[in-house]
Amino acid sequence: MISPLNDAAVEVGALLLAVPDAASRASIVASAIVAQLSNCACAIHRFVDADDETAWTVIAVAGDVSLEPKSLGSGNRLMAPLLLESPEVLIYGGADILREDYSHLQIARSIASIAYIPLLNQGHLVGAIEILFFSGTPRAQDLESIAAITQL
């Protein structure tokens, strides 16, 4: 069930209806998240649960980041908890992050923290939003400002 929508979510929803493919929709969501949260970058990952394919593929980025041309296996240590039965929002402070954890992205700034928001469809993991914060560590309630957008 979608919670009451804020103005940003209504605007994003209208934009999502206008584009035909998942990568374009993911780009809209990533850009909206960067606009809502301060001093961050965002990557949207698609999850594929198949033995012969890479598990995580970045399909959109926004903010002060660009994509390194590679995918992630399901063994990425920061994203691995998303594969649990009931994935929740994950937040890692700078002391818990290694450069290898986000080597799939080209970033010219220091990372203070990273948050992962699982994307679910009918209870099944279909992707994740990766938010890289250049200053500070958000709390789960700090991410509530984008909750309506992530539910779209």
Side-chain angles (χ1 to χ4, degrees):
M1 177 169 186
I2 295 179
S3 63
L5 297 178
N6 58 30
D7 290 341
V10 170
E11 207 172 297
V12 170
L15 292 170
L16 292 175
L17 290 173
V19 295
D21 61 291
S24 296
R25 290 190 295 271
S27 183
I28 290 168
V29 170
S31 295
I33 288 170
V34 168
Q36 287 286 312
L37 300 173
S38 63
N39 207 17
C40 72
C42 180
I44 307 290
H45 298 261
R46 175 181 287 147
F47 178 71
V48 178
D49 190 12
D51 294 332
D52 59 339
E53 291 189 40
T54 303
W56 297 102
T57 302
V58 178
I59 59 173
V61 294
D64 196 9
V65 62
S66 60
L67 186 57
E68 181 70 24
K70 72 176 193 177
S71 296
L72 296 168
S74 59
N76 178 287
R77 74 179 188 91
L78 297 184
M79 296 177 82
L82 294 174
L83 301 175
L84 298 175
E85 192 168 315
S86 298
E88 296 180 5
V89 172
L90 304 171
I91 299 173
Y92 298 97
D96 300 321
I97 303 168
L98 302 173
R99 174 62 185 120
E100 295 79 21
D101 294 327
Y102 57 92
S103 64
H104 56 284
L105 301 171
Q106 295 266 347
I107 301 170
R109 300 174 66 184
S110 296
I111 302 297
S113 60
I114 299 177
Y116 294 96
I117 301 170
L119 296 173
L120 305 172
N121 183 14
Q122 298 180 355
H124 298 292
L125 184 68
V126 295
I129 298 172
E130 179 178 38
I131 306 170
L132 303 109
F133 292 89
F134 301 119
S135 62
T137 301
R139 299 167 298 165
Q141 55 266 38
D142 295 332
L143 299 176
E144 287 182 16
S145 67
I146 61 166
I149 293 170
T150 63
Q151 290 176 8
L152 292 173

